[in-house]
Amino acid sequence: WGCKCVMSISYTPDVIGRAKNMVRSKRIVNGLLIVAFMLGYLEWGANNHTFIFQVIIPLFTSMPNDLAGLFNPAVLIPLVGFILLLITLFQQEPNRKFTLAGLACLATFMIFLFFIGVLSLNWKIILSTTPFLIIAIISLRLNWRNKTD
């Protein structure tokens, strides 16, 4: 039977264009996830409130002196997710595993924050977490592979 079957795959400009648009879309969505995460609103006690982006700068400036605060799971898990998503912004093609792992880390914190807002009927917290949750769903749809792939 000495038959050699060679399959030639040629990509049309349309397929290449769609692939480039998908990479660009993933990068934009990852950037939006970071921005939406930073706009999360925290409120505790009588008059204590802040946005996540206002907490990050003091966290990094006090890092050499306060490593115990950095290793708190409520700080460490979102920080790992933030770093993973930040890495994907600079990759040629955003790594699917990094994106999903980063999303999972940030989503655990934001979903927890959302439920705190719902249980306490705090509309500021609910409104600040909703954009992240919507963008997270879009990111999942972009990055989730079908079993047929």
Side-chain angles (χ1 to χ4, degrees):
W1 301 92
C3 176
K4 292 184 180 180
C5 297
V6 177
M7 185 175 196
S8 173
I9 299 174
S10 63
Y11 294 104
T12 63
D14 182 48
V15 172
I16 294 171
R18 280 189 278 151
K20 285 182 181 178
N21 284 339
M22 181 66 75
V23 169
R24 191 176 311 121
S25 296
K26 287 181 180 182
R27 194 172 288 129
I28 289 170
V29 167
N30 286 355
L32 288 174
L33 279 170
I34 291 172
V35 170
F37 175 76
M38 293 294 205
L39 295 176
Y41 183 75
L42 307 168
E43 193 172 296
W44 67 98
N47 289 325
N48 298 318
H49 54 87
T50 188
F51 287 96
I52 292 175
F53 71 86
Q54 294 173 313
V55 174
I56 289 194
I57 294 170
L59 178 71
F60 284 118
T61 56
S62 70
M63 194 182 329
N65 301 329
D66 185 26
L67 289 178
L70 180 67
F71 290 115
N72 181 342
V75 174
L76 189 61
I77 293 171
L79 183 63
V80 168
F82 179 80
I83 291 169
L84 286 173
L85 283 179
L86 201 60
I87 289 170
T88 65
L89 293 179
F90 299 103
Q91 292 177 326
Q92 186 73 23
E93 181 174 342
N95 186 312
R96 179 179 162 268
K97 290 179 182 177
F98 277 19
T99 298
L100 292 175
L103 176 61
C105 291
L106 293 182
T108 53
F109 184 78
M110 293 301 273
I111 290 170
F112 181 67
L113 198 58
F114 178 78
F115 282 123
I116 288 173
V118 169
L119 291 175
S120 65
L121 298 176
N122 189 327
W123 61 272
K124 295 175 192 174
I125 294 175
I126 294 169
L127 286 178
S128 74
T129 55
T130 302
F132 177 87
L133 298 175
I134 291 169
I135 297 167
I137 291 168
I138 293 169
S139 179
L140 282 174
R141 289 185 56 91
L142 276 174
N143 288 292
W144 204 263
R145 287 194 178 162
N146 294 332
K147 291 182 180 181
T148 59
D149 285 348

